[in-house]
Amino acid sequence: MSILDLLYFIIVGVNLMVSIVVKAQWKHFYYIYFLMTMGVEIVTLYFHGLQRLYNFLDIFSMVFFYFLFRESLVYKRIVKGITMSMVLFSMYLMVVSKTSYSIYTGIIFCLYSIFLSLNWFHSMIASTERETLRITDRGLFWISSSLLMWSVFYLFRMTPMYWFNNRDPEFLYTLKYIFQIATIISYGLFLKGLTRKQL
């Protein structure tokens, strides 16, 4: 296990502990999300044949973040329809995939996360209600930023992965490290969101 892997497990573990300790966050069920994430990471670390668990995590995450964001979004019915479509399509891709992990469910989750985050930012900008809080005082600002950052770096790493594997494996290895660092930073942003008083 590398230093970056260790830092990743530490930041996910800290997020899990904060989501349990901060009682105000219980109603948002963050601890379930982090328990699922930590569980999948630990199981796949020791059992490499169970990489498909990441597909289940992608699908679970889409459902989780939909319920987390749904009250703050504009065009709620459209978002609900898109969510259901993406979840069902991801389940289909997971079933027909011939590999242990279908990269396509990860790509769909990233596109969904980008869509959800941008929708939230749009809802904040378009809101006609007088705001008593700065946008940075809202937990979802940091969580949206976290999802955006992680999703962009995931797409940047995974989408051209096979092409770089054949053409420039050394650069692909560099991308892996960049993605690990981006993941750690994005969970740091998520942690900041957990410490905000308002969702």
Side-chain angles (χ1 to χ4, degrees):
M1 182 182 289
S2 69
I3 293 174
L4 288 176
D5 291 329
L6 184 60
L7 286 173
Y8 169 74
F9 276 103
I10 289 171
I11 192 68
V12 174
V14 170
N15 272 283
L16 172 60
M17 293 307 298
V18 169
S19 67
I20 292 172
V21 171
V22 180
K23 290 185 179 180
Q25 300 297 355
W26 288 4
K27 61 183 178 182
H28 304 305
F29 301 103
Y30 289 117
Y31 59 91
I32 294 176
Y33 170 74
F34 287 111
L35 278 172
M36 289 283 290
T37 302
M38 184 69 84
V40 168
E41 292 291 2
I42 291 171
V43 169
T44 54
L45 183 66
Y46 293 102
F47 302 97
H48 297 290
L50 295 176
Q51 297 293 317
R52 190 172 290 263
L53 287 175
Y54 283 113
N55 293 132
F56 287 103
L57 184 60
D58 291 336
I59 293 167
F60 166 78
S61 297
M62 278 191 277
V63 175
F64 174 81
F65 286 115
Y66 166 72
F67 281 103
L68 182 67
F69 279 86
R70 65 177 176 166
E71 294 303 322
S72 306
L73 301 175
V74 291
Y75 312 118
K76 290 181 174 61
R77 287 186 180 179
I78 295 173
V79 175
K80 185 177 182 180
I82 289 172
T83 304
M84 291 174 64
S85 300
M86 287 189 158
V87 166
L88 291 173
F89 189 47
S90 294
M91 290 171 71
Y92 168 75
L93 290 173
M94 184 182 68
V95 170
V96 300
S97 175
K98 295 179 181 178
T99 58
S100 58
Y101 170 68
S102 172
I103 189 176
Y104 298 109
T105 62
I107 291 171
I108 290 170
F109 171 58
C110 286
L111 294 174
Y112 179 74
S113 297
I114 292 170
F115 163 74
L116 205 61
S117 299
L118 292 178
N119 189 302
W120 184 82
F121 281 116
H122 171 67
S123 71
M124 290 295 102
I125 293 168
S127 176
T128 56
E129 296 179 15
R130 186 176 178 182
E131 289 291 329
T132 56
L133 285 175
R134 292 181 303 173
I135 193 170
T136 54
D137 288 333
R138 293 182 178 276
L140 285 181
F141 169 81
W142 298 102
I143 293 168
S144 295
S145 301
S146 170
L147 287 174
L148 272 175
M149 180 179 181
W150 183 86
S151 297
V152 169
F153 276 94
Y154 180 95
L155 291 173
F156 183 64
R157 182 205 171 193
M158 300 300 279
T159 306
M161 180 175 65
Y162 296 113
W163 189 85
F164 280 127
N165 192 43
N166 295 326
R167 302 292 180 91
D168 195 349
E170 192 172 318
F171 182 64
L172 183 63
Y173 203 68
T174 304
L175 279 180
K176 177 186 175 184
Y177 282 110
I178 293 171
F179 176 67
Q180 283 182 301
I181 293 167
T183 300
I184 292 165
I185 293 171
S186 68
Y187 273 114
L189 294 174
F190 205 115
L191 180 61
K192 186 153 188 171
L194 290 179
T195 62
R196 302 299 91 182
K197 292 183 179 179
Q198 187 164 331
L199 186 66

